[in-house]
Amino acid sequence: MKISLEQLLTQADVLPTLPQVVHRILHALANERADTDTLVDHVAGDPAVVARVLAAANASAVGAGHVDSIRQAILLLGLDRVRTITLATAIIDRFRPTSHYDAQHLWLHSVGVAVCSQAVAQHAELDADMAYAAGLLHDIGQLLLFTVVPQHYEAVLRLKRERDICIVDAEREVLGIDHALVGGALAKHWRLPLPIVDAIAAHHAGETVPDTEIGDAVHVGEVLSHGLDLGASPNDLVPDLSELACARVGINWREFSSHFAEIEARFAVARLVLGL
Amino acid sequence: MKVRTVCLTPWHVAPGIPLAKAALQRNGNVLLAAGTLLTEAHLNQLRERGIDLICVELPDHRSPEAVAQDIADAEARVSHLFRGPGSLAREELGEAMMAFRHDGVS
């Protein structure tokens, strides 16, 4: 079965839309209005997100007493950490109950890619929060494909297993399209900031990766997360890695390997805080 | 007693373990010196300050055969993950990962 982007996007409303708080945070990042007051204002409008963020902040601040406000959480944990906790809890909670697809595995992998993309962006002196957000959302195309054409997506997963190939190759063969393109189109449909749209669309583009800074960070971050085995799937396969993207983010793996232990630790803490 | 250096999050370390390397704050200042015997208060302090990684000394009760097996298992997993063809960049990442895993279990 071949499926077109247009066909998929007409059914995009089968997925819940992203919470407003996520839109507000991402657009604030894109507009460089990422200060404490802005974040407090954005989160305060969503009591469910406030409750989840405070629970996560308390989980990550053992012994610090009860964290009972977003401002206190920022004071204790720092603005960057509260922002990433907010994004992750809001996105994961919104999609976790809606799909029969192995959402737990998808979000575990996505958090791994977010953490790796953030580290790569920090190394390249790019916007690390934007890279984290793009990493979290990089596989939303898989969610849409599985939700709209579940039987065909099962065939994709079967082909991937049988031939031991990367997911995008199986998707292109079965559906004539891949989740990166679908995810980029969905992100555009949702009016997410352009760097995130481009990064999602480009994360499997291989040597044809277009020149998007956050796209480079997410592509390299995704491959690194597979290499570090962060999702720990028994038959995982490290996808191919673009030489061009590595050169653009200035990665020398022998030197960058000094960050591997810290990346693993950040991932372990994120799992703990997010309950994954 | 034989010990080995292991790097973990402060959530995965029990009190009573010595720090193998100084724990640094985000600005690079030393928070706790190498050799500090970690207490619950130290661990909470590290967690509160957002320090995700500390390196501690753990007793190593493994026999030489068990160490060799751990190394072989770690290498086999990296080889499995990096199976098949790929770019030179992927190959370099695989080599760096192999060295990292080797050091981690040695």
Side-chain angles (χ1 to χ4, degrees), chain A residues 52-70:
Chain A
R52 283 288 284 124
V53 171
L54 293 183
N58 276 303
S60 68
V62 182
H66 191 60
V67 180
D68 56 13
S69 74
I70 295 295

Side-chain angles (χ1 to χ4, degrees), chain A residues 59-64 76-77 81 164 223-224 226-229 232-243 246 253-254 257 260-262 264-266 268-269 272, chain B residues 7-12 26 40 43-45 47-54 77-78 80-97 100-101:
Chain A
S60 68
V62 182
L76 192 65
L77 300 174
R81 184 164 290 215
D164 194 24
V223 178
L224 176 58
H226 284 281
L228 281 169
D229 211 4
S233 297
N235 275 320
D236 206 359
L237 173 65
V238 176
D240 206 5
L241 179 58
S242 159
E243 311 261 1
C246 286
W253 288 112
R254 195 172 302 207
S257 63
F260 287 175
E262 184 160 12
E264 286 189 326
R266 279 192 204 170
V269 173
L272 198 78
Chain B
C7 297
L8 298 165
T9 79
W11 281 267
H12 296 95
R26 284 181 175 182
E40 192 60 49
L43 291 167
N44 284 337
Q45 192 183 13
R47 292 163 188 155
E48 286 162 29
R49 293 185 183 224
I51 294 166
D52 291 329
L53 187 72
I54 52 173
R77 180 62 182 160
V78 175
H80 180 68
L81 289 169
F82 283 85
R83 66 194 180 278
S87 65
L88 185 61
R90 180 180 184 265
E91 207 174 295
E92 286 169 356
L93 171 60
E95 285 166 9
M97 201 59 68
F100 172 65
R101 292 295 178 219

Side-chain angles (χ1 to χ4, degrees), chain A residues 8-268:
Chain A
L8 281 166
L9 289 180
T10 56
Q11 297 178 69
D13 58 359
V14 296
L15 287 182
T17 53
L18 283 175
Q20 273 304 312
V21 64
V22 172
H23 278 282
R24 292 195 196 113
I25 290 174
L26 296 182
H27 286 284
L29 281 178
N31 295 320
E32 296 180 352
R33 284 186 290 108
D35 57 17
T36 298
D37 289 339
T38 308
L39 181 61
V40 169
D41 285 350
H42 290 162
V43 179
D46 191 329
V49 171
V50 170
R52 283 288 284 124
V53 171
L54 293 183
N58 276 303
S60 68
V62 182
H66 191 60
V67 180
D68 56 13
S69 74
I70 295 295
R71 204 171 281 279
Q72 192 188 357
I74 293 171
L75 208 63
L76 192 65
L77 300 174
L79 183 61
D80 295 351
R81 184 164 290 215
V82 173
R83 189 184 299 113
T84 54
I85 291 174
T86 306
L87 284 172
T89 52
I91 292 170
I92 295 171
D93 283 359
R94 178 60 60 101
F95 291 104
R96 188 154 25 199
T98 59
S99 170
H100 298 294
Y101 180 55
D102 188 355
Q104 175 80 6
H105 178 256
L106 181 130
W107 291 118
L108 193 61
H109 167 63
S110 298
V111 169
V113 174
V115 169
C116 289
S117 305
Q118 183 186 44
V120 171
Q122 280 166 342
H123 169 80
E125 298 181 354
L126 302 174
D127 184 335
D129 282 340
M130 190 70 87
Y132 183 93
L136 263 183
L137 290 166
H138 80 287
D139 273 346
I140 49 167
Q142 284 191 31
L143 269 185
L144 183 61
L145 283 167
F146 191 84
T147 308
V148 175
V149 285
Q151 286 172 341
H152 296 96
Y153 210 72
E154 287 286 4
V156 168
L157 297 174
R158 209 164 36 245
L159 182 69
K160 174 185 180 297
R161 276 194 305 273
E162 285 168 5
R163 288 227 214 116
D164 194 24
I165 54 178
C166 277
I167 188 80
V168 280
D169 294 328
E171 289 168 344
R172 287 168 191 157
E173 188 164 329
V174 175
L175 303 170
I177 202 164
D178 66 59
H179 72 269
L181 277 178
V182 172
L186 181 61
K188 192 174 176 187
H189 180 74
W190 281 345
R191 298 180 195 282
L192 296 184
L194 194 58
I196 292 183
V197 171
D198 289 344
I200 293 171
H203 79 273
H204 278 296
E207 285 307 331
T208 59
V209 169
D211 191 358
T212 80
E213 291 181 333
I214 301 299
D216 287 335
V218 174
H219 168 72
V220 175
E222 154 124 68
V223 178
L224 176 58
S225 81
H226 284 281
L228 281 169
D229 211 4
L230 297 186
S233 297
N235 275 320
D236 206 359
L237 173 65
V238 176
D240 206 5
L241 179 58
S242 159
E243 311 261 1
L244 194 58
C246 286
R248 285 198 297 235
V249 293
I251 287 265
N252 172 317
W253 288 112
R254 195 172 302 207
E255 288 168 12
F256 193 78
S257 63
S258 63
H259 298 285
F260 287 175
E262 184 160 12
I263 291 170
E264 286 189 326
R266 279 192 204 170
F267 177 68

Side-chain angles (χ1 to χ4, degrees), chain B residues 44-74:
Chain B
N44 284 337
Q45 192 183 13
L46 293 162
R47 292 163 188 155
E48 286 162 29
R49 293 185 183 224
I51 294 166
D52 291 329
L53 187 72
I54 52 173
C55 297
V56 294
E57 281 182 1
L58 291 181
D60 189 355
H61 302 298
R62 296 174 302 167
S63 66
E65 294 76 24
V67 173
Q69 188 59 55
D70 285 351
I71 292 172
D73 291 346

